[in-house]
Amino acid sequence: MNRKLVFISFLSTFLVLCLSITVFAATAGYSLRVNGADIKGEAKVIDGVTYVPLRTVIEGLGGSYHVMPESNTISILRRDISMYGGFDESNPLLYGSKAYFEINENFDKFIGSVIIEETSTGKDALKVLQDKKEPAPNGYTYVLVKVNLEILASEKPGATLSINNYRFLYIDPVTQKRTPSFMFSQYSPSVAEGKSFNGWVGFMIPEDHQSGMIVLSSPNDRQNALWMKLQ
């Protein structure tokens, strides 16, 4: 009988020891390395599942991570392809296609989409303008671009993004000169979640212009922009 008690006691001690070792092994921390570089943070493997601090890893990859509690959304964007859809001067967004973008402005973050639905130049542009703009001066013409821009999520509920004159810029393909747009109303429209902008953006450019591109960006960030090729 005593032998049996000793055996049970030994078995219990052994099981507790094994469990302790298992738990320790399961929750042991691992250092993190992204693209060959060590980053702050620790990963753990628990019950065969690897857990990593997602924000640390995303930012280590050069991306952005935003928690938007009001819309129960976590937005993860790779800056190289998602900040402005990966569309740059050498790979512009084609007419009629949609791109997704992220704009950080005035301490607010906006995730949205944009598409060029229509373009109009010359006499056709004047029909669109009607009496909202005088005829262009000699040597100049109007280029109008119909844009559909939506805000899909914003970090602060109710935050608005202004469609001001410098939100869209026309870029001359030869001189690379940037021409700001003009609006069709006295006040610049704004967009927010559930309130999109679907309207015309106008440019007055030299009459002998070649087909150029327009860019969408933040007025405070001229280096990063979404490039769009006109038809």
Side-chain angles (χ1 to χ4, degrees), residues 21 25 45-46 57 91 142 161 165 170 172 199 205 215 221 228:
I21 294 173
V45 179
I46 302 175
V57 173
N91 177 41
Y142 288 119
L161 183 70
N165 292 354
Y170 176 88
D172 187 289
I205 60 176
V215 294
D221 184 3
M228 294 173 279

Side-chain angles (χ1 to χ4, degrees), residues 24-214:
F24 175 79
T27 59
Y30 291 80
S31 60
L32 290 174
R33 182 172 294 170
V34 175
N35 289 335
D38 292 330
I39 61 174
K40 293 181 179 180
E42 186 180 81
K44 293 184 178 182
V45 179
I46 302 175
D47 295 332
V49 179
T50 303
Y51 296 85
V52 297
L54 185 60
R55 181 169 197 153
T56 303
V57 173
I58 293 297
E59 291 178 349
L61 288 168
S64 63
Y65 173 100
H66 307 303
V67 178
M68 301 174 179
E70 293 298 324
S71 57
N72 294 321
T73 302
I74 294 178
S75 171
I76 298 173
L77 295 174
R78 283 176 53 191
R79 186 180 181 89
D80 60 336
I81 66 169
S82 298
M83 181 86 172
Y84 289 99
F87 298 103
D88 53 24
E89 184 177 4
S90 60
N91 177 41
L93 177 71
L94 298 180
Y95 176 88
S97 300
K98 179 183 286 189
Y100 297 90
F101 63 86
E102 172 194 349
I103 286 181
N104 303 329
E105 189 168 298
N106 298 328
F107 306 104
D108 292 326
K109 295 179 175 64
F110 300 90
I111 311 299
S113 65
V114 65
I115 182 173
I116 296 178
E117 296 184 335
E118 191 177 345
T119 60
S120 184
T121 59
K123 293 181 179 179
D124 291 334
L126 291 176
K127 292 178 183 177
V128 175
L129 286 167
Q130 297 177 352
D131 61 343
K132 296 181 180 180
K133 205 82 177 175
E134 295 180 359
N138 289 335
Y140 287 85
T141 187
Y142 288 119
V143 172
L144 307 182
V145 181
K146 191 174 184 183
V147 175
N148 189 324
L149 190 152
E150 294 184 79
I151 297 300
L152 307 176
S154 58
E155 193 168 48
K156 295 181 181 178
T160 60
L161 183 70
S162 173
I163 308 298
N164 56 46
N165 292 354
Y166 290 89
R167 181 70 62 201
F168 291 95
L169 298 171
Y170 176 88
I171 299 184
D172 187 289
V174 178
T175 65
Q176 296 297 303
K177 178 183 177 181
R178 298 189 175 206
T179 301
S181 64
F182 61 80
M183 298 293 111
F184 293 87
S185 61
Q186 183 179 357
Y187 303 102
S188 297
S190 61
V191 289
E193 286 187 68
K195 180 186 175 184
S196 62
F197 171 75
N198 190 300
W200 293 91
V201 175
F203 305 91
M204 187 172 68
I205 60 176
E207 202 165 31
D208 58 352
H209 79 285
Q210 300 177 29
S211 181
M213 288 186 272
I214 65 172

Side-chain angles (χ1 to χ4, degrees), residues 3-23:
R3 262 185 209 177
K4 188 174 182 181
L5 287 173
V6 170
F7 176 74
I8 291 174
S9 177
F10 172 79
L11 182 61
S12 299
T13 303
F14 178 76
L15 289 174
V16 170
L17 181 61
C18 287
L19 183 60
S20 299
I21 294 173
T22 302
V23 171

